Amino acid sequence: MPTTITAVDRDGTQHSLIWDEDQTLMEVLRDNDLPVLASCGGTASCATCHVFLEEPVAAGLGDRSEDEAELLADAEGFRECGSRLSCQIEHDAALDGIRVELAPEG
């Protein structure tokens, strides 16, 4: 079942998006024309899909992979609690209603 999320772009505009079961978070952002470069295509090797999640949501996703953690540590605006690569977040009905904010480009 698709879920609805709120995405906040870099100028503060909020977008209500439908997140389908077969998409990663990066794909739903990109497919709805938000400025997510996703230059590596979702392989966790570029950090151009860096987003901020509310801390309880991020904590509920579990630990970052070693590759994700390494990329995020060098990313613009990195937040220890809340920064994630959206390509690494699979659809989950439990994420219905989350708010995701695009990180600064850098």
Side-chain angles (χ1 to χ4, degrees):
M1 166 179 271
T3 58
T4 302
I5 64 170
T6 299
V8 181
D9 64 26
R10 293 182 185 98
D11 68 7
T13 303
Q14 294 190 29
H15 307 266
S16 181
L17 307 177
I18 301 298
W19 186 2
D20 293 322
E21 293 178 16
D22 63 342
Q23 294 177 305
T24 63
L25 182 56
M26 179 270 296
E27 290 169 328
V28 71
L29 296 171
R30 182 199 61 204
D31 292 354
N32 282 279
D33 298 323
L34 271 77
V36 175
L37 187 57
S39 59
C40 74
T43 61
S45 61
C46 73
T48 60
C49 68
H50 178 200
V51 296
F52 302 128
L53 299 172
E54 294 166 328
E55 290 182 29
V57 174
L61 294 173
D63 293 336
R64 299 174 186 106
S65 70
E66 187 175 320
D67 289 340
E68 182 181 9
E70 186 176 307
L71 286 166
L72 286 171
D74 294 331
E76 179 79 24
F78 172 71
R79 297 177 186 169
E80 184 62 42
C81 296
S83 282
R84 294 301 298 250
L85 295 181
S86 60
C87 68
Q88 299 303 294
I89 303 172
E90 298 289 335
H91 179 273
D92 185 331
L95 298 175
D96 187 42
I98 66 167
R99 181 179 183 276
V100 58
E101 180 182 343
L102 300 186
E105 289 182 287

